[in-house]
């Protein structure tokens, strides 16, 4: 597939590398923007508060399948929207999904080491299902459907629980997963 990734950081750059390794054709777009009219799917991986600016700098995104990977850490969605993903839908009017926001980019290089494929949540529109599930599998994840696009707000808020788990109980869990003699 031809995939345009907006944001070249940990998530955008990391997913682009994984998908390139799986044989996809990647277009990597930074804050200077660009033209995504050739892309079959567009992934947004910019800071949550930059979603409006990032989309405004991109041409040719209307009607495209877009997967929004942003989290909103300390920021609200654009005014009038309950999630960044629904804001994306309002700008593009194409098939829209939320995914890749509940897994850590720092582990992309270790997905293949898991004893079974790690799950990765996605919610969104049925028209996006084929692409978002394929791109999950081609990154090494098993897609886990979490309902319609209206659930994107809950999926964005879910990151607060993930941070809570990491700051609380994750130490012993990580120790079991990777004891020092295996590091
Ligand atoms: N890190 C994780 O494990 C993780 C996991 C899931 C979801 N997320 C979410 O995914 C998003 C990206 O996270 P990240 O860790 O990849 O952040 P990051 O490493 O800081 O990368 C963000 C990228 O977005 C670019 N950017 C900033 N403003 C932009 C704009 N207006 N237009 C286009 N590009 C713009 C930045 O460009 P410059 O390099 O020029 O600043 C940078 O390349 C965030 O919403 C984050 O909450 C992160």
């Amino acid at each position: 597939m031809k995939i345009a990734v907006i944001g070249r950081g940990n998530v955008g750059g990391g997913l682009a590398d994984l998908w390139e390794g799986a044989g996809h054709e990647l277009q990597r777009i930074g804050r200077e923007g660009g033209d995504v009219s050739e892309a079959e799917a567009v992934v947004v991986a910019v800071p949550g508060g930059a979603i409006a600016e990032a989309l405004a700098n991109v041409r040719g995104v209307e009607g495209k399948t877009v997967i929004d990977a942003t989290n909103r850490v300390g920021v609200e969605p654009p005014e009038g929207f309950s999630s960044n993903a629904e804001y994306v839908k309002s700008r593009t009017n194409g098939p829209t999904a939320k995914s890749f926001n509940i897994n850590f980019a720092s582990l992309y290089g270790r997905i293949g080491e898991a004893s079974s494929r790690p799950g990765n949540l996605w919610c969104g529109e049925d028209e996006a299902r084929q692409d978002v599930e394929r791109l999950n599998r081609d990154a090494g994840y098993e897609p886990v459907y979490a309902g319609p696009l209206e659930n994107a707000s809950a999926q964005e808020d879910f990151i607060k629980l993930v941070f809570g788990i990491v700051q609380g109980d994750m130490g012993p869990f990580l120790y079991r997963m990777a004891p020092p003699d295996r590091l």
Side-chain angles (χ1 to χ4, degrees):
M1 285 179 75
K2 291 183 178 175
I3 307 163
V5 180
I6 306 172
R8 298 169 170 150
N10 300 306
V11 173
L15 288 173
D17 289 346
L18 292 175
W19 288 325
E20 221 161 51
H24 295 289
E25 193 178 316
L26 268 298
Q27 182 184 5
R28 300 169 190 244
I29 293 179
R31 60 178 68 226
E32 72 283 1
D35 185 343
V36 299
S37 51
E38 295 291 309
E40 295 163 87
V42 177
V43 176
V44 186
V46 301
I51 188 107
E53 185 192 335
L55 285 181
N57 286 340
V58 167
R59 297 182 305 284
V61 74
E62 299 77 19
K64 297 283 180 192
T65 295
V66 179
I67 303 171
D68 170 28
T70 62
N71 275 317
R72 295 181 284 100
V73 182
V75 292
E76 296 298 317
E79 200 174 335
F81 297 90
S82 59
S83 68
N84 275 359
E86 287 161 295
Y87 173 77
V88 169
K89 172 74 185 180
S90 78
R91 309 310 298 170
T92 64
N93 212 18
T96 306
K98 181 99 212 170
S99 195
F100 302 102
N101 69 313
I102 305 292
N103 266 305
F104 291 111
S106 56
L107 295 176
Y108 288 162
R110 300 187 59 186
I111 297 172
E113 296 173 28
S115 52
S116 60
R117 262 174 185 260
N120 194 35
L121 291 181
W122 80 273
C123 68
E125 298 179 302
D126 265 342
E127 295 80 358
R129 178 182 293 274
Q130 191 176 338
D131 289 340
V132 73
E133 293 195 341
R134 177 176 181 189
L135 292 180
N136 264 275
R137 294 199 174 94
D138 287 352
Y141 294 114
E142 189 55 35
V144 178
Y145 177 61
L149 193 62
E150 292 72 31
N151 286 2
S153 174
Q155 191 171 316
E156 291 175 10
D157 283 341
F158 189 68
I159 194 64
K160 294 176 193 160
L161 299 183
V162 175
F163 285 161
I165 292 165
V166 169
Q167 283 158 7
D169 242 6
M170 197 67 175
F173 174 72
L174 281 179
Y175 187 87
R176 284 200 304 279
M177 294 293 289
D181 61 340
R182 294 190 52 206
L183 291 176

